[in-house]
Amino acid sequence: MSLRDRLVGRIAAHGPLTVADYMDACLHDPRDGYYATRPALGEGGDFLTAPHTSQMFGELIGLWAAETWTRMGGPPRFALVELGPGDGTLMSDILRAGRAAPGFNEAAQVWLVETSDPLRALQAARLGDRPRWADELGEVPRDAPVILAANEFLDCLPIRQAVSTPEGWRERRVGVDENGALRFEVGPPLPPLLGRVGPEGRGGAVWNDGRIGGHPGAPHPDGFAVCPSPGGEGGVVEFSPGLEAFGREVAGLLEEATGAALFIDYGRSAAGYGDTLQALRGHAKEGPLENPGSADLTAWVDFPAFLDAAAAPDSPILSQGVFLRRLGIEMRAAALAAAHPEQAGKIMRQLERLIGVDQMGELFKVVALGSPGVPLAGFEAA
Ligand code: SAH
């Protein structure tokens, strides 16, 4: 039975699904989930990521990791962790660039946090038997410092959505229409605090009566402008308990083990409205309900909410373009082009793809978390 048919059966038996439960089933269902069965990265697949765009991306992340290790005093043993390592390209570029710091590679115990069996096989083919694999970050030992990197991992964490109705905010759910097709439906009212979305700066919470302002955990604010229907009736606000729980987990890991973590993804650097759930198949966007399990399903990362949860609300949110330029990507591109003049045009196009404001440079953001006393390269006050 197809995943769609099983989901229709599940909805008939237990009622509509939250968007988070739907995402989780589409990505991770053990039999038919996208990552469990047919993750297709790269040119011939469904989507192309920065490590596939150019080796420069992973090399600079590798230099960031090596610099972080040096700043930590060069511990003789540490866990070099990647979350959601795809086909292993990023980790292999990191390890190659890491040779620039003598001792870094020898000290690194490589951990790959990966749920997908087919991707684990690709990672092993590229990286050999050096890495250890874990299903979850919690399995990485905490008895040594940690340096962690993740590209396009946070966008896979399931989000929930709220939709604005004349009666207030309701959960947006996935149900079934009279013809047996999946559709979005308006679900039950949501608890008073929906999430950290609002027009003012990075903060702002949306309350079930449409008020915007204040902070999560604070009492219901009075005196904020009433905005019953941001974006009009049907306006969507997203929130992600999973992302926030993960932020708390990373912060806990860094507190116990010490170290630093780098996250690169597309998403928001300020609060905002809108439905960002997106399905990609064969490099083309399609409706998120069209092909459950055979399209990649992601959502924009709410970076302010992530940083708040990680107890680092004031950490900078850099654009990928700014971050990579601070690490010296333009010099790296010039050096590569000088060494391979016949490929100079291609290298410059790849550079533009990674840092151009109308390409990946602005949409993709970079945040870093570190334990006290570990200054994070690229994040020094400008
Ligand atoms: N970082 C790679 C791949 C990004 S695709 C790149 O930049 O090319 C997302 C990756 O995260 C895949 O490897 C997928 O299997 C993994 N993944 C998704 N959800 C996960 C979860 N909950 N736990 C661990 N890995 C997950």
Side-chain angles (χ1 to χ4, degrees):
M1 205 195 264
S2 71
L3 179 58
R4 178 200 310 279
D5 290 344
R6 284 192 289 126
L7 286 172
V8 167
R10 186 171 151 191
I11 292 166
H14 303 290
L17 305 172
T18 63
V19 171
D21 287 342
Y22 176 74
M23 265 181 100
D24 192 54
C26 289
L27 293 179
H28 301 298
D29 180 84
R31 210 164 70 207
D32 299 308
Y34 180 74
Y35 281 117
T37 57
R38 54 176 87 68
L41 288 77
E43 293 290 352
D46 295 313
F47 59 98
L48 205 59
T49 60
H52 298 113
T53 301
S54 164
Q55 65 182 73
M56 293 185 285
F57 180 82
E59 288 169 354
L60 287 166
I61 305 300
L63 290 179
W64 180 88
E67 174 67 19
T68 303
W69 176 75
T70 306
R71 290 178 181 197
M72 286 162 58
R77 186 170 71 89
F78 74 101
L80 178 61
V81 185
E82 187 183 350
L83 295 161
D87 66 1
T89 301
L90 176 57
M91 183 52 84
S92 95
D93 291 343
I94 288 175
L95 291 170
R96 193 177 59 255
R99 290 194 207 124
F104 173 83
N105 261 312
E106 293 68 25
Q109 292 190 315
V110 177
W111 280 89
L112 304 178
V113 180
E114 177 60 72
T115 44
S116 161
D117 284 335
L119 286 178
R120 282 188 181 202
L122 286 181
Q123 293 152 19
R126 196 176 293 268
L127 298 162
D129 56 9
R130 175 171 184 183
R132 291 163 212 207
W133 277 269
D135 284 320
E136 300 175 356
L137 186 57
E139 292 168 38
V140 173
R142 299 182 171 211
D143 60 353
V146 171
I147 297 176
L148 185 156
N151 184 61
E152 293 210 40
F153 169 78
L154 297 177
D155 63 50
C156 302
L157 297 180
I159 56 148
R160 286 170 66 181
Q161 292 185 325
V163 60
S164 175
T165 76
E167 289 78 46
W169 290 94
R170 299 292 169 94
E171 179 132 31
R172 192 175 187 220
R173 300 198 299 188
V174 177
V176 178
D177 70 13
E178 50 288 348
N179 302 317
L182 295 173
R183 69 165 175 207
F184 286 113
E185 291 177 357
V186 173
L190 279 151
L193 177 63
L194 295 185
R196 296 174 21 86
V197 183
E200 72 279 0
R202 286 164 58 160
V206 172
W207 304 79
N208 201 16
D209 64 359
R211 287 168 193 255
I212 299 167
H215 292 284
H220 188 295
D222 284 321
F224 293 103
V226 174
C227 180
S229 200
E233 195 180 323
V236 169
V237 152
E238 297 178 336
F239 57 110
S240 178
L243 177 74
E244 295 181 21
F246 186 72
R248 287 191 289 276
E249 187 179 350
V250 176
L253 172 68
L254 294 180
E255 191 176 325
E256 202 174 323
T258 75
L262 187 73
F263 295 91
I264 305 135
D265 227 305
Y266 57 104
R268 304 179 191 287
S269 52
Y273 297 109
D275 172 10
T276 72
L277 184 66
Q278 132 176 330
L280 269 184
R281 206 160 58 101
H283 299 277
K285 278 192 194 182
E286 60 177 36
L289 304 183
E290 277 174 38
N291 291 291
S294 45
D296 184 38
L297 215 52
T298 58
W300 281 22
V301 176
D302 182 343
F303 281 106
F306 178 67
L307 290 175
D308 250 17
D314 300 320
S315 272
I317 302 170
L318 302 180
S319 69
Q320 176 169 300
V322 164
F323 178 70
L324 292 177
R325 278 207 300 274
R326 286 188 184 177
L327 294 187
I329 194 167
E330 286 155 319
M331 270 152 51
R332 178 76 189 125
L336 272 178
H340 307 279
E342 73 292 351
Q343 294 191 30
K346 184 173 125 200
I347 291 164
M348 290 304 152
R349 278 193 299 280
Q350 294 171 340
L351 174 69
E352 184 55 23
R353 173 102 190 103
L354 290 174
I355 68 173
V357 287
D358 54 348
Q359 304 210 28
M360 298 173 86
E362 194 65 43
L363 174 63
F364 279 74
K365 315 282 192 256
V366 188
V367 299
L369 300 168
S371 43
V374 180
L376 299 163
F379 287 84
E380 296 88 354

